[in-house]
Amino acid sequence: AQSVAQPEDQVNVAEGNPLTVKCTYSVSGNPYLFWYVQYPNRGLQFLLKYITGDNLVKGSYGFEAEFNKSQTSFHLKKPSALVSDSALYFCAVRDIAGRRALTFGSGTRLQVQP
Amino acid sequence: GAVVSQHPSRVICKSGTSVKIECRSLDFQATTMFWYRQFPKQSLMLMATSNEGSKATYEQGVEKDKFLINHASLTLSTLTVTSAHPEDSSFYICSAGGQGDQPQHFGDGTRLSIL
């Protein structure tokens, strides 16, 4: 079975400051890892993914994420937060050898204050 | 990029009504689509995997007679909530794609409110 944990329900950060949204995962094999963002009453938008290779992955809107195999983590980061980054963020995982359906974390609400 | 269209975006109807939600892949073919349900302030829960030309695969605890899924073409899957009741009120989201190392692409969701 695979699972994802997002330990923070909400993250608050001031505009211009760096942000981190945490994610840890559990899969039986090698993982594909994803970050998605959701705005109110909308579906999920893809931000970035880790498949293999470089542990630091760069994605849309200036976001990046660092894959750490030993800590089974895939934290989302951005050097300088914008008010418009305020949204709900989901980490998701699937086993490379497993089925295509994603397993999502519980989500973290990011609030960027002006 | 890949686009998934979901319709309608919002439905309000009386208890006992059946409601159909459509999910279309606009610029790619999708042999497999996924239906999720999202409760307020909660994560997405996979309801079922929709397979083109064959029966859907339902997750444990999801009533297949309640949530009918039809995937009749490579670009369209439908979810019908039959005889809907207030407890079926939720946000339903579909997705498609996700083959290999590709991300799934999501529709904008359907807000279903049963009175």
Side-chain angles (χ1 to χ4, degrees), chain A residues 36 38 41 94 99-100 105, chain B residues 38 43 59 97 100 104 111:
Chain A
Y36 287 86
Q38 185 181 34
N41 294 310
R94 77 172 186 86
R99 62 177 188 169
R100 285 164 54 188
Chain B
Q38 186 179 27
S43 188
E59 295 300 297
Q104 286 183 23
R111 172 77 57 196

Side-chain angles (χ1 to χ4, degrees), chain B residues 85-103:
Chain B
H85 289 93
E87 60 266 27
D88 299 323
S89 299
S90 193
F91 193 56
Y92 294 87
I93 307 177
C94 71
S95 73
Q99 277 189 305
D101 61 2
Q102 296 304 304

Side-chain angles (χ1 to χ4, degrees), chain A residues 16-100:
Chain A
N17 282 1
L19 68 89
T20 298
V21 182
K22 296 180 181 178
C23 170
T24 58
Y25 68 91
S26 175
V27 294
S28 55
N30 292 316
Y32 288 151
L33 292 156
F34 304 87
W35 274 102
Y36 287 86
V37 59
Q38 185 181 34
Y39 295 97
N41 294 310
R42 299 293 299 274
L44 275 64
Q45 294 179 33
F46 168 72
L47 280 180
L48 51 78
K49 65 181 179 182
Y50 171 81
I51 304 301
T52 187
D54 196 347
N55 289 342
L56 185 63
V57 178
K58 294 188 184 295
S60 306
Y61 313 119
F63 283 94
E64 57 190 30
E66 186 167 9
F67 172 67
N68 187 316
K69 188 172 183 178
S70 62
Q71 296 184 7
T72 61
S73 66
F74 190 55
H75 302 331
L76 181 70
K77 300 182 180 185
K78 187 172 182 181
S80 178
L82 300 173
V83 173
S84 57
D85 292 330
S86 299
L88 190 56
Y89 290 80
F90 288 100
C91 181
V93 68
R94 77 172 186 86
D95 191 320
I96 289 176
R99 62 177 188 169
R100 285 164 54 188

